[in-house]
């Protein structure tokens, strides 16, 4: 038996939804994680400080007693966002970042940004205040192939934006390409990225070869194997600019298993076991703590969590549920496609 004790991890990109789904999925994260950056793409979205405060209270009501979990709120950037409200919510300590969704890029992004010029005044105020901007980095132009949308975003949106506002602190979330990690690694300052668990494990064949597998469909969509390998290399590098954001994104099974299925992989329950497997496979278990527990808080200006987590490797496979139940139906858990041998005990 092998054990690994690390600082309690955080999830720097998480969807908890609302209502019955939130009720069911929140404990799946609060069991293992100290904090999580909470995505604001509800319907209607979390736009104002008041929205975020109310949503935070609804989340806290779903956290089991004794879990000590703290949701870190974000605001959804719209073309009518009020800069003063954003900055006040940040200074208050309530809100930790603003999320930029290009309109139409992903689930519930229809209220997002069509023209980046319209939000520049907000971004300027954020740059002054040192407030992070979390970015869904894909263009939405239907003429751009879906597998090229991340690279096109870097070239046509992100690089011009950063050239114009170098003081803006940007987190490129759920990077899925070599282009993405190379871009982050080449930046002088004010740019970091998160990587999901599933993008370290699947490539586009998992979605499309031998039958279409909707539970592996997410956005940005998984790319070729060479990109997955580049992401793995970045994850195990220990580089302070790279950290975990699971993008665990629950959808009820009928909404995934559909002629037009929703994008999102739900991985909260087994994420730490999957990551231990990946880091072990790479001979880099000593880098897991930096990726999952240290680099994220440093970027967000927070201390690492006080507590620790112990991961234990057993020879026999550890079982995780296939699905979790909600009052509105089941949600399928991410299947890494291999046996998991790591389990988590809370210290
Ligand atoms: O796969 C995804 N699901 N990607 C996103 O960007 C959004 C998320 C969701 O909200 O379901
Ligand atoms: Zn997401």
């Amino acid at each position: 038996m092998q054990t690994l004790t690390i600082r309690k991890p955080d999830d720097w990109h998480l969807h908890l939804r609302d209502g019955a789904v939130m009720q069911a999925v929140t404990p799946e994260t609060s069991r293992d994680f100290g904090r999580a950056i909470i995505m604001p793409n509800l319907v209607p979205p979390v736009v104002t400080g008041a929205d975020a405060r109310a949503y935070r209270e609804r989340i806290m009501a779903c956290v089991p007693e004794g879990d000590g979990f703290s949701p870190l709120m974000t605001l959804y950037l719209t073309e009518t966002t009020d800069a003063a409200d954003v900055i006040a919510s940040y200074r208050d300590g309530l809100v930790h970042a603003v999320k930029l969704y290009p309109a139409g890029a992903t689930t519930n992004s229809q209220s997002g940004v069509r023209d980046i010029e319209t939000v520049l005044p907000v971004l300027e105020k954020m740059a002054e205040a040192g407030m992070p901007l979390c970015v869904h980095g894909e263009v939405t132009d239907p003429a751009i192939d879906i597998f090229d949308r991340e690279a096109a975003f870097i070239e046509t949106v992100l690089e011009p934006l950063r050239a114009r506002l170098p003081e803006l602190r940007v987190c490129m979330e759920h990077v899925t390409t070599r282009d993405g990690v190379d871009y982050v690694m080449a930046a002088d300052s004010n740019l970091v990225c998160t990587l999901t668990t599933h993008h370290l494990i699947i490539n586009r064949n998992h979605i499309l070869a031998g039958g279409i597998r909707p539970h592996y469909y997410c956005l940005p969509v998984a790319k070729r194997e060479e990109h997955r390998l580049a992401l793995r290399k970045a994850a195990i590098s220990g580089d302070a600019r790279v950290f975990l954001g699971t993008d665990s994104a629950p959808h009820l099974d009928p909404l995934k298993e559909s002629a037009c299925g929703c994008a999102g992989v739900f991985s909260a329950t087994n994420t730490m076991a999957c990551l231990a497997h990946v880091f072990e496979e790479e001979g880099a278990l000593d880098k897991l703590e930096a990726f999952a527990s240290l680099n994220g808080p440093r970027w967000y200006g927070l201390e690492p969590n006080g507590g620790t987590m112990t991961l234990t490797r057993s020879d026999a496979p550890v079982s995780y549920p296939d699905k979790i139940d909600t009052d509105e139906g089941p949600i399928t858990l991410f299947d890494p496609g291999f046996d998991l041998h790591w389990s988590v005990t809370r210290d």
Side-chain angles (χ1 to χ4, degrees):
M1 212 148 78
Q2 189 186 351
T3 64
L4 174 69
T5 298
I6 59 172
R7 288 283 187 136
K8 193 173 191 179
D10 301 303
D11 184 349
W12 300 97
H13 181 134
L14 176 69
H15 299 268
L16 288 177
R17 314 301 191 203
D18 215 337
V21 170
M22 171 176 70
Q23 190 76 43
V25 301
T26 301
E28 299 302 305
T29 287
S30 66
R31 189 181 299 132
D32 288 350
F33 293 90
R35 297 162 291 197
I37 281 278
I38 307 300
M39 286 298 116
N41 63 334
L42 305 181
V43 186
V46 179
V47 173
T48 65
D51 296 340
R53 192 174 298 282
Y55 186 29
R56 189 176 196 283
E57 280 172 21
R58 298 201 297 283
I59 295 168
M60 288 309 291
C62 300
V63 177
E65 247 187 81
D67 270 5
F69 173 73
S70 191
L72 308 177
M73 308 313 290
T74 63
L75 299 179
Y76 186 120
L77 184 60
T78 73
E79 295 191 344
T80 56
T81 286
D82 173 7
D85 178 61
V86 167
I87 302 302
S89 315
Y90 178 61
R91 296 235 157 97
D92 222 24
L94 169 71
V95 164
H96 292 260
V98 165
K99 175 71 186 247
L100 165 65
Y101 286 107
T106 187
T107 311
N108 303 333
S109 62
Q110 56 280 7
S111 315
V113 174
R114 281 182 175 72
D115 177 3
I116 199 97
E117 293 291 320
T118 62
V119 296
L120 268 180
V122 179
L123 300 181
E124 279 163 9
K125 290 277 182 306
M126 288 172 58
E128 270 169 44
M131 183 179 192
L133 178 72
C134 293
V135 173
H136 183 109
E138 288 190 287
V139 294
T140 55
D141 179 351
I144 307 287
D145 189 278
I146 189 163
F147 292 101
D148 298 333
R149 288 182 181 186
E150 184 170 293
F153 182 88
I154 293 169
E155 194 186 320
T156 64
V157 183
L158 192 51
E159 177 55 22
L161 174 63
R162 294 185 55 252
R164 193 150 163 190
L165 264 184
E167 301 307 319
L168 183 64
R169 304 181 69 231
V170 177
C171 177
M172 216 186 145
E173 301 198 287
H174 44 52
V175 165
T176 60
T177 58
R178 178 197 305 281
D179 314 66
V181 288
D182 284 353
Y183 182 66
V184 171
M185 294 300 182
D188 291 338
S189 58
N190 292 335
L191 183 64
V192 296
C193 66
T194 60
L195 301 175
T196 77
T197 306
H198 51 282
H199 287 110
L200 298 176
I201 294 174
I202 63 165
N203 63 31
R204 63 194 200 176
N205 281 7
H206 289 77
I207 314 169
L208 296 170
I212 189 156
R213 292 191 176 71
H215 294 292
Y216 290 139
Y217 173 62
C218 65
L219 288 169
V221 71
K223 309 294 192 299
R224 286 176 182 277
E225 178 65 358
E226 66 184 87
H227 294 290
R228 185 185 75 99
L229 296 178
L231 303 183
R232 278 198 171 213
K233 201 168 152 212
I236 63 163
S237 68
D239 192 294
R241 294 168 293 185
V242 183
F243 44 89
L244 173 64
T246 66
D247 199 11
S248 179
H251 292 279
L252 297 169
D253 278 354
L255 299 174
K256 296 281 299 170
E257 297 163 8
S258 149
C260 184
C262 294
V265 168
F266 172 67
S267 64
T269 312
N270 60 4
T271 272
M272 290 311 299
C274 290
L275 289 174
H277 182 106
V278 167
F279 279 67
E280 181 187 23
E281 210 164 58
E282 298 287 339
L285 279 171
D286 61 326
K287 295 296 194 322
L288 180 58
E289 185 177 45
F291 180 67
S293 315
L294 303 179
N295 295 345
R298 186 198 287 191
W299 162 258
Y300 278 100
L302 301 168
E303 291 299 318
N305 288 311
T308 59
M309 156 187 280
T310 297
L311 291 143
T312 304
R313 190 190 197 289
S314 53
D315 288 339
V318 181
S319 66
Y320 287 87
D322 293 339
K323 296 172 190 290
I324 65 155
D325 285 320
T326 81
D327 282 352
E328 289 174 355
I331 294 169
T332 292
L333 178 64
F334 174 59
D335 173 5
F338 44 72
D339 284 343
L340 289 168
H341 291 265
W342 291 88
S343 54
V344 172
T345 33
R346 286 192 269 176
D347 300 338

